[in-house]
Amino acid sequence: MSEDIRMGPVRLIQGIEVPSFFYGTAWKEERTEALVLAAIEAGFRAVDTANQRRHYYEEGVGHALSKVLGEGRLKRGELFLQSKFTYAASQDHRLPYDPDADYATQVEQSFSRTLKHLGTDYLDSYILHGPSLGQGLAEADREVWRAMESLCKSGSVRLIGVSNISEDQLRLLIEFAEIKPAFVQNRCFARTQWDSEVRKQCRDHGIVYQGFSLLTANVSELNRPIMDQVTKRHGCTKAQAVFRFALQLGMIPLTGTSDPEHMKQDLSVYDFAFNADEIAMIENVAA
């Protein structure tokens, strides 16, 4: 069932205004600057990146922001910037910190470089880019989280969160955290009822779920007749249907489209709504 939350372009999370739809910048490489500029031109006001050169070009995001802010098109406070700390095991040789340093220092060094890359003196959201282990939490994760909490307490970061996390790991993090995560960002599969167990835990603890790969992780499910019925009824694309569905579940969806026309289409999902039966159909599309 859909949740009783506001599904407009902006949500209030822990007293902070947060856009309800993010533009994701993974795997953009040399196109990053131009695509971020196009996304902002289309109307996106939240940009997700990471200080992980293996999959993100964070400096490219910064080049785009420099143009937008430098030309006075927007003020810094009108943009929501989210980046991530990534362990060395998920990096390539272009590390943003000294891998021999303790984890608190690694976080400090990575965060400092992120601010430099993005040309800002604070982040709206800072995410742990996945626990260090496949199961459970290691001492490294606890040290990193404490360092992120310190950034939050200092005012350098407004909200903190975690990505690529299981239900059990999230439970352990919530038990440990002094500042609980504001966000969980996961790849979202229809075959798990759109990560239903993690989303339930998020709901129970007042955490907002960010869903990525909503389209690319669910190609076969989105080709089922149910999706054709829903899109025909509402005159929308499958991408629009998925993003609207995500909003009505209480998610913040991410899109990484490289097509400026699709960017505009994605942001038009505030113009229609699904009823409870349609939400249930899409929620169980993989059944």
Side-chain angles (χ1 to χ4, degrees):
M1 296 291 290
S2 69
E3 298 179 26
D4 183 22
I5 69 165
R6 287 174 294 177
M7 291 174 291
V10 177
R11 296 177 60 170
L12 198 63
I13 298 173
Q14 297 185 12
I16 294 169
E17 290 189 349
V18 180
S20 60
F21 205 157
F22 284 21
Y23 184 69
T25 61
W27 312 298
K28 302 292 189 287
E29 287 298 323
E30 73 282 351
R31 300 176 300 157
T32 300
E33 178 180 347
L35 289 172
V36 171
L37 286 170
I40 291 173
E41 181 68 25
F44 282 94
R45 293 295 178 264
V47 179
D48 172 85
T49 187
N51 200 351
Q52 180 201 30
R53 192 60 189 86
R54 180 178 179 182
H55 295 311
Y56 293 81
Y57 182 30
E58 192 176 59
E59 285 182 280
V61 176
H63 296 327
L65 298 176
S66 177
K67 287 185 177 180
V68 169
L69 299 175
E71 294 169 3
R73 285 188 264 171
L74 291 173
K75 296 178 181 177
R76 170 64 183 90
E78 295 177 279
L79 291 169
F80 189 94
L81 303 182
Q82 175 171 279
S83 191
K84 309 179 189 79
F85 170 81
T86 309
Y87 285 112
S90 296
Q91 301 269 8
D92 61 16
H93 64 282
R94 295 166 290 184
L95 288 167
Y97 47 73
D98 177 2
D100 295 322
D102 60 76
Y103 288 109
T105 301
Q106 289 183 25
V107 171
E108 180 182 342
Q109 290 176 349
S110 184
F111 180 73
S112 177
R113 291 192 181 185
T114 286
L115 294 185
K116 185 176 180 180
H117 289 163
L118 300 180
T120 185
D121 58 2
Y122 73 96
L123 281 186
D124 298 287
S125 174
Y126 200 42
I127 303 289
L128 169 56
H129 206 176
S132 60
L133 302 173
Q135 294 182 334
L137 293 183
E139 184 58 32
D141 301 314
R142 294 179 173 88
E143 291 179 24
V144 166
W145 193 258
R146 286 288 183 253
M148 291 171 58
E149 288 176 329
S150 294
L151 292 172
C152 202
K153 291 174 182 177
S154 74
S156 299
V157 172
R158 301 174 83 195
L159 300 167
I160 55 177
V162 62
S163 182
N164 302 305
I165 192 166
S166 70
E167 179 193 13
D168 289 342
Q169 290 172 318
L170 180 57
R171 175 179 51 79
L172 292 171
L173 179 59
I174 291 169
E175 291 172 356
F176 168 78
E178 291 179 15
I179 300 175
K180 72 179 181 181
F183 299 114
V184 163
Q185 185 192 104
N186 275 1
R187 180 173 281 107
C188 193
F189 293 97
R191 64 174 180 267
T192 61
Q193 287 192 305
W194 308 89
D195 210 5
S196 61
E197 293 183 354
V198 173
R199 287 192 295 106
K200 181 182 185 304
Q201 196 165 39
C202 287
R203 282 198 307 276
D204 291 345
H205 292 277
I207 300 167
V208 176
Y209 183 97
Q210 298 180 8
F212 72 92
S213 294
L214 288 160
L215 305 180
T216 54
N218 302 299
V219 173
S220 62
E221 289 84 0
L222 298 185
N223 283 325
R224 297 191 177 181
I226 286 173
M227 295 304 300
D228 292 326
Q229 296 169 23
V230 169
T231 55
K232 184 176 181 181
R233 188 178 304 153
H234 288 274
C236 64
T237 67
K238 288 180 181 178
Q240 288 173 314
V242 170
F243 293 137
R244 179 62 202 184
F245 162 78
L247 288 171
Q248 289 190 233
L249 284 189
M251 288 189 210
I252 288 178
L254 281 77
T255 180
T257 181
S258 299
D259 186 326
E261 186 57 36
H262 289 170
M263 293 174 185
K264 295 175 185 176
Q265 290 177 0
D266 292 348
L267 287 173
S268 71
V269 296
Y270 301 102
D271 298 337
F272 68 98
F274 294 129
N275 61 39
D277 289 340
E278 291 168 328
I279 291 292
M281 287 168 62
I282 301 174
E283 198 160 16
N284 295 288
V285 69

